[in-house]
Amino acid sequence: SHIELGLAIDKLSAVLGLPLKQAVISRIDIAIDVEVVNPPSYYFSSLGNLAKFDRIERKGSLYYEQGWCKLCFYDKIAEAKKHNDCHLTEEFFNKNILRYEIRYRKDWLKHYFERDIKVWEVCNGSIDVYCELIAKSFFIYNDIVKIGDLEFDFDMTLSGLGKWAIIKQYRNGTDFMKLIDNCSKKGDKRAERMKREVMKLLKGGYTLDESTEELKEKIFDAVCKSID
């Protein structure tokens, strides 16, 4: 918790003889662990694009990357086994624990809060910054396009058919963000507007399945508990 973090910083400050709580933070990592029904990697296919982030799957993990911020989804138990984590006990061996981790860099923090964030603000000094970052973690997750079951009905117009076809092709793996980038010039405002329209269409074009709803609810519950 933020209070435990504050106590740890106080102890380290005393050892080093330095006012560490006045230091400017260069990166904040927030991790949320949720126990899920299926293996964590099962949920990755239902998590689609996120505006202004590159979506990358590598070595059994899912990443959303940009210069200022990074999201990671991975199997916490597999990671703990890999590094021989001393906190991993037998009771966890047969559980599916998905970790959602978000890494806020200094530039992102300064842009978002319009100032440098110091250590004391995320310890026991300022509950506002801590809660704001925890809540923001859910809002960013919620902005990810969720790929669920495709609705088969559409307006009997060429536009209606076109929208349905875009949603279907996206479900089949077409990355429309990269397609638009490849077919437009850098800085083309029409391309940026089209990407926003496509993202809006994709977010509303699916009926979420049970596993996608499960993950969303569990991440939301975990965020609420962290804030409490």
Side-chain angles (χ1 to χ4, degrees):
S1 71
H2 63 286
I3 294 175
E4 292 171 329
L5 175 61
L7 293 173
I9 294 295
D10 286 339
K11 289 181 181 179
L12 187 58
S13 292
V15 171
L16 298 176
L18 297 171
L20 295 181
K21 283 190 175 179
Q22 296 304 315
V24 174
I25 292 175
S26 60
R27 192 177 107 178
I28 295 177
D29 293 3
I30 291 176
I32 297 168
D33 293 330
V34 292
E35 184 175 354
V36 289
V37 175
N38 303 292
S41 59
Y42 176 86
Y43 298 84
F44 297 168
S45 62
S46 67
L47 300 175
N49 284 100
L50 176 60
K52 299 181 180 180
F53 284 78
D54 293 324
R55 184 186 185 280
I56 302 167
E57 284 194 58
R58 77 165 74 98
K59 296 182 180 179
S61 300
L62 173 62
Y63 301 88
Y64 291 87
E65 298 182 349
Q66 60 162 228
W68 293 3
C69 187
K70 183 176 182 179
L71 283 66
C72 313
F73 296 86
Y74 59 90
D75 186 329
K76 177 59 181 174
I77 302 302
E79 186 73 8
K81 288 179 179 178
K82 180 180 176 181
H83 295 285
N84 296 316
D85 191 330
C86 62
H87 297 102
L88 181 64
T89 57
E90 259 185 64
E91 65 178 302
F92 292 106
F93 284 177
N94 296 318
K95 291 186 176 182
N96 296 311
I97 307 294
L98 183 149
R99 168 162 284 197
Y100 163 42
E101 192 173 298
I102 185 164
R103 301 167 187 172
Y104 301 108
R105 298 187 184 278
K106 180 181 177 180
D107 289 342
W108 186 96
L109 293 167
K110 189 168 185 176
H111 175 78
Y112 186 76
F113 290 103
E114 299 182 337
R115 68 179 191 279
D116 285 326
I117 298 299
K118 295 188 176 182
V119 173
W120 69 268
E121 295 187 83
V122 292
C123 297
N124 51 348
S126 175
I127 192 71
D128 293 339
V129 171
Y130 174 83
C131 290
E132 180 71 21
L133 290 173
I134 295 287
K136 186 65 177 176
S137 301
F138 176 76
F139 293 140
I140 293 177
Y141 164 79
N142 204 40
D143 282 340
I144 297 172
V145 173
K146 310 302 187 298
I147 305 173
D149 297 324
L150 181 62
E151 295 179 354
F152 284 94
D153 58 325
F154 54 84
D155 293 337
M156 289 299 144
T157 62
L158 188 59
S159 174
L161 176 59
K163 290 178 179 179
W164 182 86
I166 288 173
I167 295 169
K168 181 173 175 57
Q169 285 300 110
Y170 182 77
R171 197 177 195 280
N172 291 340
T174 301
D175 189 333
F176 283 99
M177 301 303 109
K178 288 185 178 179
L179 176 63
I180 293 169
D181 284 338
N182 292 337
C183 296
S184 63
K185 294 180 180 180
K186 188 175 181 180
D188 189 334
K189 292 183 179 180
R190 295 175 303 169
E192 292 304 315
R193 183 169 62 250
M194 180 175 285
K195 285 197 285 187
R196 289 195 297 270
E197 290 173 354
V198 169
M199 288 292 288
K200 183 178 179 181
L201 172 66
L202 294 175
K203 288 191 75 174
Y206 296 101
T207 302
L208 299 187
D209 54 27
E210 281 188 23
S211 61
T212 310
E213 288 282 13
E214 173 208 354
L215 184 58
K216 181 179 178 180
E217 288 177 8
K218 287 182 175 178
I219 288 179
F220 178 74
D221 289 344
V223 164
C224 290
K225 288 178 182 177
S226 297
I227 293 175
D228 289 342

